[in-house]
Structures are given as C-alpha cells and as structure tokens.
Amino acid sequence: MPAIKFYCPRWGSEELNWKDFARKVKDAGYDGVEVYPLQVPHEKYEMLEQLRLHDLEFSLLHTEMKEGKDVKKYYAALERNLYELATYQTSDMKPQFITSQTGREYYTMEQMAECFSICDRMSTETGISTIHETHRNKWSYAAHVVKAYLQKFPSVQLALDFSHWVCVSESYLEDQQDTIDAAIQRSVHLHARVGHIEGAQVTDPRAPENAEALQHHLGWWDKWMTYLVKTNAEKCTITPEFGSYPYMSFKPFTKEPLADQWEINCWMKGLLKNRYTQTLNPELEKLESII
C-alpha cells in the first residue's frame, strides 16, 4: 500500500497569513499544502518558513494563461515561470512537484509537443518534476482528446481531475473507459473534487442529491489506488480541491456560499483516508482485475 499524503489547497484561504494557515492545515491533519504562488511573490519567504516550522510538504501550481494566444510568448512564459517556481526551496525542503495547467485547448499537438519538451527539460535541470493537470481550456480539457496525447508522449504524467471531463462531456464518461484507464496509469497526483454533468463542482458531496456523482468519482479513484497498489507505488498525494467562488455556488445577488469549502475539503480528506487506509485496504487486491 503506498504512503498516502493529503495536501490542503491554499485556494480559498488566501485571507489567512501563512502562520495561521499553516497552523490550521497542520491541526486539520494534512501532510502538506498545494499553492499557486506566482500571484503573491512577496509571500515566498514567509510561506517557506511557516511550512518548515509546521513540518508540511508542498506542491506548486502553474496556471499561466495570459500569453496563450501568442504561442511563442507562451513558451517563454512557461519556461520563465517554471524557473521561478523552482526557486521556492531551501537547503532542507523543496516542492514535491509542480502541477501545470499547460497550454490551451486550441493548441495543436505540435505546439503542445514544445510545451512538454520545455517541462521535461526544466524537470531535468531543476530536479523538480512537472506534471500536467486534466483541466478545462487546456490540452487535457476532455477525455476524448487525451488518449492520443498519452500514446504519443510517454513522458507526460498527470494530475488527475475527472470533474473537468465530466463537465465537458456532460456525462459520467460511461463510453470512454479506455481513456479513463489510460489516464489512471499515467497519474501521480489526484485532485479529489466531485463534478457533475453540468458543472465541475457539486454544491456539497455529502448531500444525497449528489450521491450519483460522488459514487462515480469514488469508483475512478478506487481504480487509481488499485493501480498504485498493483504497481508497488511507494507514495501518492491527494488534494481535496473543492474551490471557493466562483466554483462554490453562491446565493443570488450575494457571494454567500451555499456550503463551507474548508469543511467539505476536510470531510473529503477524512472519507478518502478512511477508505484507503482502513475500509478499502483489505479489498484492493480483489479489485486488481479492473485495470
């Protein structure tokens, strides 16, 4: 059974300073954090110091988009940003990996090949691997386009987020099992958010009206965990990634959320920790035939 580490998203808690946020994360039982730091470079040293003091791992997000229309400018921005993210380390700690929302959905396969080449080169130069999130408006926006990429680019590893594919397809991907299986076998990190066929985030996964969506996602995540067990993976990381506004539904004419983002992410962490370290652990061997 791989060692499972749960990361807390910084997304939605930006109003907290890093000292308070790190303490809250540690008290909630997380092993690390996932953060997009390039919008707040002034927080860099405070972030690293508080993560060290609270003995928290971290991964970094890259979501560059503004240069997307000019692909040559995008290449330069991608390389520049990955270099900058690689500086988020000290003598005794560094990012576990960088999760990149890479390219755009309208880039050609040849243009994406250059993006992947930049990421691979940067991973080699910095010693920090770059993985690619399955995400709307990126090359990986939908299940039906991803399989060909995985076949052509064997070095591409994924941060798996099925919620985007469900939303784009307006289905629970019942007829795209081959792509799901291929993606599972290339994924090293999981964004545990539950989407539905009309959106990338249900209001609250605990609610009975969202049970169908939750069960589909749990089934996919079970397959991923089973594959990791089967291949003797040493470690895996999971970020419960229910988001704040505008992902979180709000009451009309206000920004009052319909549910508590922090509470939901903690609930999801508890659900999966129990599922994969206690309840489901004895059953995983029985599920290997699925993959």
Side-chain angles (χ1 to χ4, degrees), residues 7 34 58-60 95-99 128-131 189 237:
Y7 289 177
E34 184 173 81
F58 67 104
S59 66
L60 300 177
Q96 298 295 307
F97 50 84
I98 295 169
T99 297
I128 302 168
S129 62
T130 299
I131 63 177
H189 180 60
T237 50

Side-chain angles (χ1 to χ4, degrees), residues 23-152:
R23 182 189 302 116
K24 186 177 182 181
V25 168
K26 191 71 173 182
D27 290 346
Y30 287 96
D31 303 288
V33 302
E34 184 173 81
V35 57
Y36 174 49
L38 294 182
Q39 290 181 323
V40 285
H42 60 280
E43 294 184 358
K44 177 179 181 179
Y45 296 106
E46 180 188 6
M47 179 190 103
L48 292 172
E49 176 66 6
Q50 291 302 320
L51 294 178
R52 182 187 65 81
L53 289 174
H54 290 84
D55 191 27
L56 291 167
E57 296 180 0
F58 67 104
S59 66
L60 300 177
L61 293 169
H62 172 260
T63 62
E64 185 65 46
M65 283 187 59
K66 60 184 178 181
E67 290 89 356
K69 188 174 182 179
D70 186 324
V71 69
K72 290 185 178 180
K73 288 184 178 180
Y74 180 83
Y75 297 155
L78 177 61
E79 181 171 335
R80 180 182 68 247
N81 289 346
L82 292 177
Y83 267 126
E84 178 60 28
L85 290 174
T87 70
Y88 278 72
Q89 58 179 299
T90 66
S91 60
D92 58 351
M93 63 185 300
K94 68 176 185 179
Q96 298 295 307
F97 50 84
I98 295 169
T99 297
S100 179
Q101 296 177 13
T102 316
R104 286 299 305 271
E105 77 279 16
Y106 52 78
Y107 280 9
T108 66
M109 188 171 283
E110 290 73 22
Q111 290 170 332
M112 284 308 307
E114 179 62 22
C115 292
F116 296 145
S117 177
I118 291 169
C119 292
D120 288 346
R121 175 168 53 81
M122 297 299 296
S123 295
T124 299
E125 290 182 12
T126 66
I128 302 168
S129 62
T130 299
I131 63 177
H132 304 274
E133 183 178 355
T134 55
H135 203 286
R136 287 168 299 159
N137 83 11
K138 306 300 187 293
W139 71 274
S140 55
Y141 70 97
H144 73 276
V145 302
V146 167
K147 187 177 181 181
Y149 276 93
L150 296 181
Q151 292 172 334
K152 187 174 180 62

Side-chain angles (χ1 to χ4, degrees), residues 19 51 54 99 113 131 135 155 191 283 290-291:
K19 181 179 179 180
L51 294 178
H54 290 84
T99 297
I131 63 177
H135 203 286
S155 68
H191 279 174
E283 301 298 320
I290 295 175
I291 302 298

Side-chain angles (χ1 to χ4, degrees), residues 234-254:
E234 296 182 358
K235 175 183 175 181
C236 71
T237 50
I238 299 173
T239 300
E241 208 210 14
F242 284 82
S244 58
Y245 178 87
Y247 268 68
M248 176 66 69
S249 297
F250 277 68
K251 293 181 180 179
F253 307 106
T254 76

